[in-house]
Each structure stands twice: as C-alpha cells, then as structure tokens.
Amino acid sequence: MERRSLGTSGLQVSGMGLGCMGMSEFYGTRDEQESIATIARSLELGINFFDTADMYGPFTNEKLVGKALAGHRSEAVIATKFGNERGEDGSFKGINGSPDYVRRACDASLERLGIDHIDLYYQHRVDTSVPIEETVGAMAELVAAGKVGYLGLSEAGPETIRRAASVHPICALQTEYSLWSREPEDELLGLCRELGMGFVAYSPLGRGFLSGQIPLSTTSPRAIGDGRCLAFKGTISSATSSSSNALPRSQTRRAFPRASLRSRGCSIREKTSFRSREPSGARI
C-alpha cells in the first residue's frame, strides 16, 4: 500500500484509510466481530490509517477501534475527533469547541481507545461561538502534553483554516470529496497546498452510493436502519439493474463538471457523517 505524507507534517499514512463510523452507527445493523475482522484485514493489506470519533455510537466506535487495534498500536495511525457533543442516550447536544471541553474530550477518547496518545486529533465541526484561536490553542496544549501528535480540522472554511494555522500547524483538513461533491476543488485543495496541509477526503465513493452496492429501495431489507437510504426516502426508486443503481443526476450535489478527480497528494477513506460545513466559504 502506498504511503503518503499528510502535507509537510511528516505524518505518513496509507493512501487509503478506513473510516470506521459505519461499524457502530448510521449504516444499519452492527456486527462487532465482522468489524474487527475488517480492521484486521485492512492491516494485512497495508492500511495503517484508521478514523473514528467520539460521537460515533456514540462513544462505542472508539472502543471498537481500540479493541481491534490492541496489540497493533505501532502499525496504526489513529485519528479521532471531538466537537459534536452527544449524550450517553445518543442525544445531540450541539457543537462544542470550548477549551475545557477539548481537554475533557481528549482524555475521554484516550481512555476509550486504550492508548496513551492520539496520532491525529480533529475538531469535527467548527464551533462558531468560540474563536478558533481558543479551540486550537487548547488542542496545541494537548500536543505539548504528549496526548496528541498532530492537529486537524474537519469541514472548516478557508478563513477559519488560516486563523487556526496561525496558532499551531494544522496537519490535515478532512472534508467530503467525491464525484458528486467537488467543492474542495474551488478553494480548499489550493489552500492546503499553500499551508502545507494534507487533505483527507471522506466518502470518496459518495457515501457508498457510487459503488453501486447501496440499495436504492427504502423497502429493501438491507436498507433497514441505514441512514443513507432514509435520507433519500421519496426521492429515489428501486434499482432494477446494476447499471441503474445510481442516484438521478438531479439528486447529486454537483454534476461531475470536471473530467477526473485530482487525487494526488490526498488520502482517501470511505465513510459517511452528517453533512455540516462551516459558513466561511463552505456550506453549513
């Protein structure tokens, strides 16, 4: 498996990574043993980049990833995230980027993962009520304390990224990027090059829809509990063949305006998350 450096940080990751969110939530039924086997097989194939977040499950996905990678810590680059605050009952409490919450969230993630440091720690979504300088300042303290190796942002706009980078080097920006979500090409990819940041593309297969493996019928047994299918309920019809198993052009966010993806220098991983982009230069 090809290794790539995330920007100029020196952090080496596999060209493809494994987003683990769907193993615990949003993608239908869960199968812990299958998930652990998938992570083990990924390691065998040379994948070393594993992505999780405290909100997935909530909280259970970090435990799953930690369990699966126990005994393989030196082989894995573990990325996790904070910022989408949830309760133990699964309730969504909002976005939180306060310094105190950053510190508490990090300690909780370390405990759930069963590790002594997080390789790449992202702010999952930007808290517009807290100056980004304060949030990143608290994240930088975690680096100084040895709890975190590198810092990242997810779904942040250009102005926020520049402000964050003025406080501490940002290793990577994680944003959705696929044939139906091409917005990063407008500003973000160029900004990453300018600032020496890596770009981690999530959902490069359009949350799985572009793979042709997601049932478009919301009545399919495979669609039960799958948020991807429920999100498009009423706008998609049953697929009758592999050639028709794709969303109508009108349902794509952006209709393939360029000939090909410029993926060189990016790391890609297939997962999904709730779409929420920061206002400054991107959608919310």
Side-chain angles (χ1 to χ4, degrees), residues 59-72:
F59 314 121
T60 56
N61 194 244
E62 287 184 323
K63 294 178 181 179
L64 172 66
V65 171
K67 180 178 180 179
L69 292 175
H72 300 279

Side-chain angles (χ1 to χ4, degrees), residues 229 231-237 247-248 250-251:
C229 298
F232 290 98
K233 185 176 182 179
T235 66
I236 58 179
S237 59
L247 285 178
S250 61
Q251 297 302 322

Side-chain angles (χ1 to χ4, degrees), residues 97-99 102 130-139 167:
S98 65
V102 172
V130 177
I132 191 64
E133 292 84 357
E134 294 183 15
T135 302
V136 175
M139 295 169 71
V167 176

Side-chain angles (χ1 to χ4, degrees), residues 26-37:
F26 308 122
Y27 272 15
T29 57
R30 310 173 191 180
D31 187 330
E32 181 174 301
Q33 292 306 310
E34 181 68 20
S35 297
I36 290 175

Side-chain angles (χ1 to χ4, degrees), residues 93-272:
K93 297 185 174 182
I95 298 174
N96 193 339
S98 65
D100 180 62
Y101 179 73
V102 172
R103 291 185 282 268
R104 287 188 286 111
C106 179
D107 288 342
S109 288
L110 287 170
E111 182 176 355
R112 286 188 290 266
L113 287 162
I115 57 179
D116 60 6
H117 74 282
I118 296 165
D119 297 305
L120 176 57
Y121 199 40
Y122 292 102
Q123 182 181 20
H124 205 164
R125 294 293 184 270
V126 175
D127 183 351
T128 56
S129 69
V130 177
I132 191 64
E133 292 84 357
E134 294 183 15
T135 302
V136 175
M139 295 169 71
E141 292 175 5
L142 299 175
V143 176
K147 295 181 178 182
V148 170
Y150 299 89
L151 304 184
L153 299 174
S154 179
E155 295 285 9
E159 179 184 352
T160 296
I161 294 169
R162 289 186 183 279
R163 289 167 55 194
S166 71
V167 176
H168 189 277
I170 303 299
C171 171
L173 172 69
Q174 182 184 118
T175 295
E176 184 170 3
Y177 185 33
S178 72
L179 283 172
W180 73 1
S181 188
R182 310 290 292 274
E183 297 91 341
E185 296 177 4
D186 294 334
E187 293 184 77
L188 294 179
L189 294 184
L191 181 60
C192 285
R193 295 187 187 99
E194 176 188 335
L195 298 179
M197 295 165 50
F199 183 88
V200 178
Y202 77 76
S203 292
L205 293 179
R207 304 166 188 261
F209 281 110
L210 298 178
S211 71
Q213 301 301 309
I214 306 302
L216 297 187
S217 171
T218 56
T219 61
S220 166
R222 289 182 57 201
I224 296 174
D226 193 324
R228 295 168 295 181
C229 298
L230 296 175
F232 290 98
K233 185 176 182 179
T235 66
I236 58 179
S237 59
S238 298
T240 57
S241 69
S242 60
S243 62
S244 65
N245 193 19
L247 285 178
R249 184 183 182 93
S250 61
Q251 297 302 322
T252 60
R253 291 191 187 85
R254 205 164 164 187
F256 313 164
R258 297 175 175 84
S260 63
L261 288 174
R262 298 193 297 271
S263 60
R264 185 174 299 277
C266 300
S267 180
I268 63 174
R269 60 187 185 79
E270 180 54 32
K271 68 176 286 288
T272 188

